[in-house]
């Protein structure tokens, strides 16, 4: 109350307007299911200086009517009625400036929409309190008697201070106006210089790797390694993880036979020769070491562990799920061409400082027996490729020869090799293929066998075979945008060496470009 008596009408409007507008905003947020978090608080901070503007305009106009001799009750009504159009226009134009941000697309749009939403709610709340709540408070304040000492202090010290500030401001403004062209030119040079430095010299990271509190240790043994053997090989790695200080690590979980970040991870992999250790750290405020330092230290230690053909690390970043920092999709028709292009990209990434854990989605599976049918010999034996395939499938998978009915149940009778022969080496050589003339042709006459590693999984993107190359980035030395731009420049003419191969980019680059494009459209719409 003492502050209100001693201060100006601006302070009175501020003291009444801000708490009331915020209270109304919190009520709307509660009913709308919006929580108080970093994004909503940021929106409130942005709008903090705007929600008192309409209250100041109305309070000044009400006080003007009172000074002209109008009773406080009538002055409150007249003062609000006089300025309702410009005040409403001011708030509505501000709402229109923020509204386009609510329609941003992509993962960033889902998060950033709450900032303009809170700004709009707060502005509407401030408008309501300025027209319907503030005038009654101003009438009440005018009816409260001022003490003579307080009035003398306000009219004396405050007036002298305000006069001194006004004189200094007028003097400074006059000098600036005399040099207005220099001031405008200096401001323009400063603005252009800032934009130039920001565009060419300041690295842009839309989704920074800060506050990391979890990471994965991904391990791959040779294909075909049993789960039991994989568990034994993981013991030395688990011992190294346990050496992380207690004040740095909270807990860890080991999973054998699966590698995935969550249930919807598109790069999930299930096999007996893969495993992962999820390490959960203490909150960053309680740790002395950063997640990067812990990962680098653990990386050096596990590099000496034997029994694994690949050990990589993946940090789980907070914020919206944007994928890994570097994601390159290598698409084409033939896997050999795609694999060569992917290896070239991986080789380029290995030469960039700050890029680590480079890998791709091309994973070889267990060895397969390939049956190459000689079509000319098969045709002379009255056989086709389909006949050979059916014979092999019948021998190992079986063929339903008849069905036995037992009560209300039908039992299929499947004919195939016995188990002791199906899993025996050389069983394929004993397959005989019946031809149309009723002869049995040994399979070795019409076909040759060769062993080749099979492909564990063939990924597709836009209906084309795809190998996805991924990598992690240390933001002290590089950024995901800079690395991706380097790949685009280096392999801009990849179609010359690999005609059927095309590149597309995902992960953080894709989400950043999507968010920036949407932001540009929103800014143009707001302008």
């Amino acid at each position: 109350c003492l502050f209100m008596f001693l201060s100006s009408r601006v302070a009175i409007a501020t003291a009444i307007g801000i708490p009331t507008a915020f209270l109304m905003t919190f009520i709307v947020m509660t009913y709308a299911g919006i929580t108080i978090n970093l994004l909503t608080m940021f929106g409130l901070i942005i709008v903090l200086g705007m929600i008192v503007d309409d209250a100041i305009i109305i309070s000044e106009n009400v006080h003007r009517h009172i000074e002209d001799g109008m009773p406080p009750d009538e002055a409150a009504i007249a003062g609000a009625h006089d300025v309702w159009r410009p005040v409403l226009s001011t708030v509505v134009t501000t709402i229109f400036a923020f509204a386009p941000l609510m329609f941003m697309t992509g993962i960033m749009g889902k998060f950033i929409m709450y900032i303009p939403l809170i700004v709009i709610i707060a502005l509407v709340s401030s408008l309501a309190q300025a027209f319907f709540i503030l005038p009654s408070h101003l009438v009440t304040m005018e009816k409260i008697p001022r003490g003579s000492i307080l009035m003398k202090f306000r009219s004396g010290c405050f007036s002298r201070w305000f006069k001194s500030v006004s004189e200094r401001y007028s003097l400074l403004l006059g000098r600036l106006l005399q040099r207005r062209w220099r001031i405008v030119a200096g401001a323009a040079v400063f603005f252009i210089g800032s934009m130039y430095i920001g565009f060419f010299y300041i690295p842009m990271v839309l989704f920074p790797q800060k506050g990391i509190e979890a990471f994965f240790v991904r391990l791959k043994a040779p294909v075909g390694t049993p789960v039991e053997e994989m568990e034994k090989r993981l013991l030395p790695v688990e011992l190294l993880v346990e050496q992380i200080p207690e004040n740095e690590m909270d807990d860890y979980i080991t999973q054998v036979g699966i590698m995935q970040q969550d249930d919807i991870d598109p790069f999930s992999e299930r096999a007996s020769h893969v495993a992962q250790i999820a390490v959960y750290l203490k909150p960053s405020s309680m740790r002395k070491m950063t997640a990067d330092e812990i990962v680098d230290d653990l990386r050096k230690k596990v590099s000496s562990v034997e029994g694994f053909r690949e050990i990589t690390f993946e940090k789980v970043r907070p914020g919206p799920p944007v994928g890994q920092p570097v994601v390159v999709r290598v698409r084409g028709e033939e896997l050999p061409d795609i694999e060569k292009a992917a290896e070239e990209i991986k080789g380029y990434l290995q030469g960039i400082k700050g890029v680590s854990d480079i890998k791709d989605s091309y994973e070889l599976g267990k060895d397969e027996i390939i049956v190459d049918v000689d079509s000319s010999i098969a045709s002379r034996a009255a056989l086709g490729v389909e006949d050979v395939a059916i014979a092999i499938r019948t021998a190992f998978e079986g063929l339903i020869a008849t069905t036995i009915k037992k009560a209300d149940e039908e039992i299929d009778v499947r004919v195939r090799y016995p188990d002791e022969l199906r899993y025996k080496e050389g069983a394929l050589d004993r397959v005989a293929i019946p031809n149309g003339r009723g002869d049995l042709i040994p399979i070795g006459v019409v076909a040759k066998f060769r062993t080749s590693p099979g492909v564990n999984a063939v990924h597709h993107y836009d209906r084309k075979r795809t190998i996805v190359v991924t990598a992690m980035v240390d933001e002290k030395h590089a950024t995901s945008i800079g690395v991706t731009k380097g790949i685009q420049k280096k392999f801009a003419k990849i179609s010359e060496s690999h005609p059927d191969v095309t590149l597309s980019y995902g992960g953080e680059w894709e989400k950043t470009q999507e968010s920036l494009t949407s932001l540009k459209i929103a800014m143009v719409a707001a302008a």
Side-chain angles (χ1 to χ4, degrees), residues 297-315:
D297 182 63
L298 186 60
R299 191 197 307 272
K300 296 176 182 178
K301 294 179 180 179
V302 301
S303 60
S304 60
V305 178
E306 298 180 352
F308 300 100
R309 62 182 178 84
E310 183 180 296
I311 301 177
T312 58
F313 292 79
E314 181 178 344
K315 290 169 279 190

Side-chain angles (χ1 to χ4, degrees), residues 164-342:
S164 175
V165 172
S166 300
E167 291 175 352
R168 293 179 182 178
Y169 175 75
S170 299
L171 181 61
L172 177 61
L173 184 61
R175 292 177 179 176
L176 293 178
L177 290 175
Q178 291 176 359
R179 301 170 177 84
R180 53 186 178 276
W181 296 114
R182 296 180 183 179
I183 300 299
V184 172
V189 170
F190 179 78
F191 176 76
I192 296 174
S194 300
M195 295 294 291
Y196 178 82
I197 294 173
F199 188 79
F200 291 101
Y201 294 99
I202 299 179
M204 178 184 175
V205 181
L206 190 60
F207 306 98
Q209 300 181 16
K210 301 296 182 181
I212 294 175
E213 297 181 358
F215 65 88
F216 288 95
V217 185
R218 303 279 170 76
L219 308 104
K220 289 184 179 181
V223 178
T225 303
V227 173
E228 295 78 11
E229 177 64 23
M230 196 69 178
E231 291 180 354
K232 296 179 182 179
R233 298 186 183 187
L234 280 173
L235 291 177
V237 182
E238 290 180 321
L239 293 176
L240 293 175
V241 172
E242 290 178 356
Q243 293 178 9
I244 299 176
E246 294 182 358
N247 61 328
E248 306 289 343
M249 183 180 68
D250 189 13
D251 203 354
Y252 72 91
I253 298 175
T254 302
Q255 294 175 294
V256 182
I258 186 172
M259 286 199 314
Q260 66 176 14
Q261 183 167 324
D262 48 50
D263 295 335
I264 59 173
D265 186 359
F267 299 103
S268 298
E269 187 173 346
R270 298 176 183 270
S272 62
H273 66 283
V274 301
Q276 68 178 17
I277 301 177
V279 182
Y280 300 97
L281 305 175
K282 297 281 188 181
S284 56
S285 59
M286 300 173 59
R287 287 188 273 116
K288 295 182 179 179
M289 300 175 63
T290 64
D292 291 332
E293 293 173 344
I294 296 174
V295 169
D296 291 341
D297 182 63
L298 186 60
R299 191 197 307 272
K300 296 176 182 178
K301 294 179 180 179
V302 301
S303 60
S304 60
V305 178
E306 298 180 352
F308 300 100
R309 62 182 178 84
E310 183 180 296
I311 301 177
T312 58
F313 292 79
E314 181 178 344
K315 290 169 279 190
V316 181
R317 296 183 296 175
V322 296
Q324 297 192 15
V326 179
V327 177
V328 184
R329 306 185 191 98
V330 188
R331 300 182 299 161
E333 298 294 339
E334 300 296 332
L335 280 176
D337 292 339
I338 305 173
E339 186 180 5
K340 290 179 181 178

Side-chain angles (χ1 to χ4, degrees), residues 53-102:
D53 293 343
D54 45 9
I56 293 172
I57 294 172
I58 292 176
S59 62
E60 289 284 353
N61 198 46
V62 170
H63 189 77
R64 179 179 65 83
H65 283 294
I66 293 176
E67 289 181 339
D68 291 341
M70 187 178 292
D73 295 343
E74 297 179 10
I77 298 174
H81 184 270
D82 291 343
V83 296
W84 75 269
R85 288 185 180 87
V87 169
L88 180 62
S89 301
T90 302
V91 174
V92 170
T93 52
T94 306
I95 290 175
F96 284 164
F98 280 92
L101 294 177
M102 295 178 59

Side-chain angles (χ1 to χ4, degrees), residues 7 17 40 45 50 83 96 108 128 202-203 211 223 306 336 354 421 434 443 516:
S7 61
T40 55
I45 292 173
M50 305 178 192
V83 296
F96 284 164
M108 195 65 179
I202 299 179
V223 178
E306 298 180 352
L421 185 59
I443 193 173
L516 291 178

Side-chain angles (χ1 to χ4, degrees), residues 144-160:
I144 298 177
R146 272 70 164 175
S148 58
I149 299 177
L150 295 176
M151 292 300 294
K152 289 180 180 179
F153 180 84
R154 179 179 177 183
S155 61
C157 297
F158 184 79
S159 296
R160 288 194 298 270

